[in-house]
Amino acid sequence: MFEWTKGGAYDEALRQKIRGWLDEDIGSGDITTETTIPAGAVSRAVIHVKESGMIAGIPVAKLVFDVVDSSLVFEAKVQDGDRVEKGTVIAVVEGSTHSLLTGERLALNLMQRLSGIATKTDQFVQALKGLPTRLVDTRKTTPGHRMLEKYAVRVGGGANHRFGLYDAVMIKDNHIKGAGGIRAAVAASRAQIPHTMKIEVEVESLEQMEEALASGADIIMFDNMPQPLMKEAVQRVKSAAPHVMLEASGGVSLDTIHSIAETGVDVISVGQLTYSFAALDISLDLNAPKGGAVK
């Protein structure tokens, strides 16, 4: 089970996003529901999965329905981080039929995407089983959804890399070109950042790795480096500066992640956790009037 991190500021920030997403979908009103369903109708909706996977986004869906209509009663049947089989009922929502149908698509969209991310992350975590290497995500997230998508990675058993450009220094190839080299880039950054902030440098060769090490980088990322070369680089760094954290990134798949971890890197970052995943198939059915039996 993965516990939802609750907090006033966090929840309110998400509520504001949900209001915006609902405005995008509803506009001037849910014309289909308003013209087909009696205003006072009350129903029971059953949310279930149509394929196996890991669930993420139950608290998010609950917030969606609460923003639509705070009188709706949302009952979770599973929790984020639970692995479920096809056909599992994951939640039941009761109340105004208008409200249920108006909030349905946004709630499902978010749960499907977050569950897809959690499911994929879990697959990568399982592929690393038995090894100390940590799996992390990247900034390759859907604009406006980073907070939720990185949450889903944590639900799946992964960890978060930096959240944005503001919370860590990551010197990549274009920074190196613009600054005039790795040494110059690290020195310029070190002179301006707080002493508590780390500097990560992306390298593609042993020569760049040696330069990053000599410059005093705290973290060295091996970008798309062949595994034999990466293994040699890891051995050199661990011998010279065991305190330096080592990260591998680029071209990581379920088939290669275990062998990449065996090179001795501390962290492996995988962009596809949040940009190349299959949404989990989740459906909502108006089951019966309030008090009716679940199918």
Side-chain angles (χ1 to χ4, degrees):
M1 181 190 76
F2 186 94
E3 290 290 345
W4 171 258
T5 303
K6 295 183 178 179
Y10 185 88
D11 284 352
E12 182 52 36
L14 183 52
R15 283 177 182 273
Q16 289 179 11
K17 286 181 176 290
I18 288 171
R19 292 184 191 106
W21 294 329
L22 286 170
D23 286 344
E24 175 186 58
D25 197 29
I26 299 170
S28 60
D30 179 359
I31 190 169
T32 308
T33 298
E34 291 172 359
T35 57
T36 60
I37 309 295
V42 177
S43 298
R44 178 178 182 146
V46 174
I47 303 175
H48 59 95
V49 295
K50 301 174 79 172
E51 61 180 322
S52 300
M54 178 174 282
I55 295 300
I58 290 288
V60 182
K62 182 177 181 179
L63 272 180
V64 170
F65 286 114
D66 187 60
V67 171
V68 170
D69 181 350
S70 61
S71 71
L72 291 174
V73 178
F74 185 101
E75 181 185 1
K77 298 295 185 180
V78 302
Q79 299 183 45
D80 281 5
D82 286 351
R83 297 185 183 92
V84 298
E85 298 299 321
K86 177 181 178 180
T88 301
V89 173
I90 62 175
V92 174
V93 195
E94 293 184 274
S96 163
T97 308
H98 276 215
S99 298
L100 289 171
L101 295 179
T102 298
E104 172 187 5
R105 180 42 52 202
L106 178 58
L108 291 181
N109 282 351
L110 292 172
M111 277 198 298
Q112 287 177 147
R113 291 179 62 81
L114 298 184
S115 296
I117 291 171
T119 298
K120 184 148 201 169
T121 302
D122 180 52
Q123 292 169 351
F124 274 89
V125 169
Q126 295 309 311
L128 282 173
K129 204 166 185 179
L131 294 171
T133 310
R134 197 177 196 192
L135 173 72
V136 301
D137 53 23
T138 71
R139 285 171 47 245
K140 296 176 182 177
T141 55
T142 309
H145 290 257
R146 182 170 296 173
M147 175 174 64
L148 290 178
E149 292 180 353
K150 282 182 170 284
Y151 165 75
V153 168
R154 298 198 305 275
V155 169
N160 297 144
H161 208 293
R162 59 178 179 164
F163 265 75
L165 296 173
Y166 55 86
D167 61 348
V169 176
M170 183 182 290
I171 299 172
K172 301 171 75 95
D173 56 349
N174 286 326
H175 300 107
I176 294 169
K177 292 174 185 175
I182 291 175
R183 285 178 182 270
V186 172
S189 183
R190 185 74 73 189
Q192 299 176 69
I193 62 173
H195 71 281
T196 55
M197 186 173 286
K198 295 183 184 247
I199 295 178
E200 179 166 7
V201 178
E202 177 185 278
V203 304
E204 300 176 354
S205 66
L206 292 177
E207 291 73 26
Q208 284 191 326
M209 179 273 293
E210 294 288 359
E211 188 177 355
L213 194 59
S215 72
D218 303 295
I219 308 167
I220 296 176
M221 175 199 288
F222 304 123
D223 182 44
N224 284 294
M225 188 176 283
Q227 289 182 38
L229 193 63
M230 191 186 304
K231 187 172 183 179
E232 182 180 347
V234 169
Q235 290 173 345
R236 287 195 193 183
V237 176
K238 293 294 185 186
S239 175
H243 63 281
V244 174
M245 181 174 288
L246 300 176
E247 177 180 340
S249 186
V252 182
S253 69
L254 282 171
D255 293 329
T256 62
I257 192 168
H258 192 91
S259 58
I260 291 173
E262 288 180 324
T263 65
V265 293
D266 304 296
V267 176
I268 298 178
S269 52
V270 181
Q272 65 175 283
L273 298 180
T274 54
Y275 79 78
S276 180
F277 59 90
L280 197 68
D281 195 356
I282 302 175
S283 183
L284 180 150
D285 292 330
L286 282 187
N287 181 259
K290 188 175 181 179
V294 177
K295 288 181 182 178

